[in-house]
Amino acid sequence: MAGFRQHGEYHLDCDGYVLKLDASGLVNEETIAAYAREVLDRIRSFDGEPFAIYSSYDPQVLLTHDAEATLRNNIAARMAVGMCAAALNLSQSDHRLTVAAQIGGLYDEFGLPWREFESYEEAKPWLDDQISQARSRRAKS
């Protein structure tokens, strides 16, 4: 069965235990699937340690319905292997409220702490604190 080509683009990087995502365009299921595979490859190197994600979106980012459903499954899988928090930078988004509702709503659904920030520098201390708290909780259990 033939698939669709990817729509939208992303770039993934790491800063310690923080995954950094830059996304652009209208993102479809195929792009989310490629992104999910790359995320799983990256988090394997964390060896089960808690990690967080920082996502920055350009003015045009929106998720198709199928992409949103795929992302829902990916969030559950990531939380199962240590994702403890998410930061969104929607400062450039033309669809800030919609994207916050789409992605933030998914994080809320799973009880994952998340916040909006204007820059990575602003988000980093909060993300590091969330990772530290998750490590402490894990050490106590």
Side-chain angles (χ1 to χ4, degrees):
M1 177 184 207
F4 293 99
R5 68 181 175 88
Q6 292 181 19
H7 293 281
E9 297 181 12
Y10 71 91
H11 174 76
L12 195 60
D13 203 1
C14 285
D15 180 12
Y17 288 92
V18 177
L19 292 173
K20 294 172 62 179
L21 167 69
D22 288 305
S24 60
L26 180 64
V27 179
N28 66 358
E29 183 178 10
E30 288 73 17
T31 305
I32 290 287
Y35 159 72
R37 286 189 299 272
E38 189 172 343
V39 166
L40 287 175
D41 286 343
R42 299 276 179 132
I43 62 178
R44 281 187 188 107
S45 69
F46 297 160
D47 291 325
E49 287 293 319
F51 67 94
I53 188 162
Y54 170 84
S55 303
S56 180
Y57 300 100
D58 84 345
Q60 301 306 312
V61 167
L62 275 174
L63 299 177
T64 64
H65 179 70
D66 288 342
E68 190 174 338
T70 300
L71 185 56
R72 175 180 285 109
N73 295 333
N74 293 336
I75 290 169
R78 284 185 228 147
M79 288 181 69
V81 294
M83 185 168 72
C84 63
L88 302 177
N89 180 342
L90 303 173
S91 63
Q92 302 299 312
S93 177
D94 288 345
H95 313 285
R96 187 176 194 149
L97 294 176
T98 302
V99 175
Q102 285 181 310
I103 298 172
L106 293 173
Y107 291 145
D108 285 341
E109 186 178 316
F110 288 99
L112 184 77
W114 72 279
R115 285 184 47 193
E116 284 188 54
F117 292 92
E118 301 292 315
S119 69
Y120 180 67
E121 293 73 26
E122 199 178 297
K124 179 81 164 113
W126 182 79
L127 291 168
D128 286 342
D129 185 54
Q130 294 297 309
I131 293 167
S132 178
Q133 288 179 39
R135 284 184 179 146
S136 292
R137 285 190 301 271
R138 194 174 78 179
K140 290 177 183 176
S141 44

